[in-house]
């Protein structure tokens, strides 16, 4: 690593730490000075700084020290923060912004998926087919072919067929998750291993897509039905989750994302965040939204409260609770007020009934959780608003 590379590396790490400050807080820092004589770790000069301060929206220089913004202002005034070990970067007029917060991301599982059969961002069925074929050929020793990221609209009725996947992975089971996480594409070996046949009933909150002529599973599993196959996939170890988290936060760092809401956290995901946090390697601030098992009803509030206490760290807190109310539009699993135009009488089915939802939201709210909801269809959204109102009426409207 050259001296220039080392300077750039120090600069990027210091900048990532410093701009954890969110945009709403930056006006209190803009165009102010730190303590006299306090040397900066990093000075950015010749910059177009967006301060987020309406009274003085632009500045020329930023000084950062010990993870804090020490100064935002003119190029001439920033020089007094320069010390013997200060890294100085001339940005040549490039813009400096506060970091972003991503309010809905799956950083751990998304990072894990990057190391599997990664189908994210592919634009045609042909590209997906080529990627699966290449991954299977490159990894002949894997017992299962797993991964995902395929987009639903690339396949007729958002329903990829098992025969297509059989042709690509004929020698072992394969299951690939859709980009939205609400469907899975399985080959014949995976379905057989899981015992999924035309006689298998749809599980609660899920649907097995079937061939209209034979009634046999077609290869696509919706919502909880994906678990019929996925429970047979060999478990990943803790180190796999940590590796995925490192990959995810590396991308977050490059995109200027310094704080996230983890949109649905299991204990394995929480363990990965906590391990990296304890080791000082968690570069993003994480608010984890704990996955709610709606089948357990109001008793979930007590279980999640224990997790909230157990997973509290320097950059990790688990103060939200995630309820899934319905699915998504493309496979017709979203809950609607009126029937789907191509499915007379079918409005989709919510994953819990309104009375149970109201009670659960009320219990979680009373336990001090921020209630986080997946709701896509207009019926599910109405249910969510009703549940929030029920919680407020029972516990008081706090915000």
């Amino acid at each position: 690593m050259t001296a220039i590379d080392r300077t750039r590396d120090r600069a990027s790490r210091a900048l990532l730490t410093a701009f954890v400050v969110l945009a709403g807080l930056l006006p209190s820092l803009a165009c102010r000075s730190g303590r006299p004589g306090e040397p900066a770790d990093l000075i950015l000069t010749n910059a177009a700084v967006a301060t987020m301060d309406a009274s003085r929206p632009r500045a020329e220089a930023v000084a950062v020290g010990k993870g804090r913004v020490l100064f935002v202002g003119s190029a001439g005034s920033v020089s007094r923060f320069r010390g013997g070990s200060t890294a100085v970067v001339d940005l040549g007029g490039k813009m400096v912004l506060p970091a972003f917060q991503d309010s809905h991301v799956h950083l751990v599982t998304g990072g894990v998926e990057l190391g599997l059969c990664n189908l994210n961002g592919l634009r045609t069925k042909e590209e997906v087919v080529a990627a699966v074929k290449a991954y299977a050929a490159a990894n002949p020793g894997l017992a299962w072919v797993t991964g995902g990221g395929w987009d639903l609209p690339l396949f007729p009725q958002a329903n990829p067929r098992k025969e297509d996947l059989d042709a690509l992975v004929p020698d072992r089971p394969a299951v690939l998750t859709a980009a939205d996480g609400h469907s899975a594409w399985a080959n014949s070996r995976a379905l057989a291993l899981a015992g999924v046949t035309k006689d298998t009933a749809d599980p609660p909150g899920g649907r097995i897509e079937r061939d209209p002529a034979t009634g046999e599973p077609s290869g696509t599993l919706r919502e909880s039905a994906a678990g019929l196959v996925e429970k047979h996939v060999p478990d990943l170890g803790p180190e796999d989750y940590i590796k995925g988290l490192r990959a995810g936060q590396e991308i977050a760092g490059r995109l200027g994302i310094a704080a996230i809401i983890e949109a649905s956290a299991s204990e394995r995901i929480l363990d990965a965040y906590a391990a990296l946090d304890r080791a000082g390697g968690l570069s993003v601030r994480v608010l984890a939204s704990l996955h709610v098992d709606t089948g357990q009803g109001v008793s979930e509030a007590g279980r999640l409260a224990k997790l909230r206490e157990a997973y509290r760290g320097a950059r990790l807190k688990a103060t939200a609770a995630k309820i899934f109310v319905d699915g998504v539009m493309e496979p017709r699993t979203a809950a609607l007020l009126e029937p789907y135009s191509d499915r007379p009488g079918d409005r989709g089915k919510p994953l819990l009934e309104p009375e149970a939802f109201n009670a659960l939201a009320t219990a979680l709210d009373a336990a001090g959780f921020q209630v986080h909801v997946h709701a896509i269809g207009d019926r599910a959204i109405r249910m969510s608003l009703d549940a929030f109102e029920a919680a407020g009426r029972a516990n008081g409207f706090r915000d």
Side-chain angles (χ1 to χ4, degrees), residues 102-117:
D102 191 321
S103 62
H104 185 122
V105 68
H106 304 276
L107 204 62
V108 178
T109 54
V112 167
E113 192 170 271
L114 293 176
L116 303 176
C117 183

Side-chain angles (χ1 to χ4, degrees), residues 298 352-363 383-384 386-388 390-391:
V298 297
L352 70 172
E353 294 302 317
E355 295 78 12
F357 188 9
N358 292 354
L360 182 56
T362 299
M383 288 173 60
S384 301
D386 288 345
F388 294 157

Side-chain angles (χ1 to χ4, degrees), residues 91-178:
L91 292 181
K94 292 180 180 178
M95 180 171 282
V96 175
L97 295 169
F100 299 103
Q101 174 167 315
D102 191 321
S103 62
H104 185 122
V105 68
H106 304 276
L107 204 62
V108 178
T109 54
V112 167
E113 192 170 271
L114 293 176
L116 303 176
C117 183
N118 182 12
L119 307 176
N120 289 280
L122 302 183
R123 297 183 178 183
T124 67
K125 176 183 175 180
E126 291 72 25
E127 289 182 359
V128 170
V129 166
V132 175
K133 184 177 181 179
Y135 179 84
N139 296 276
L142 293 178
W144 282 70
V145 170
T146 59
W150 55 272
D151 283 320
L152 294 161
L154 300 183
F155 298 89
Q157 300 299 311
N159 186 13
R161 302 277 305 189
K162 62 185 178 183
E163 294 86 359
D164 290 337
L165 194 50
D166 290 345
L168 302 171
V169 190
D171 57 335
R172 51 200 148 144
V175 60
L176 302 165
T177 306

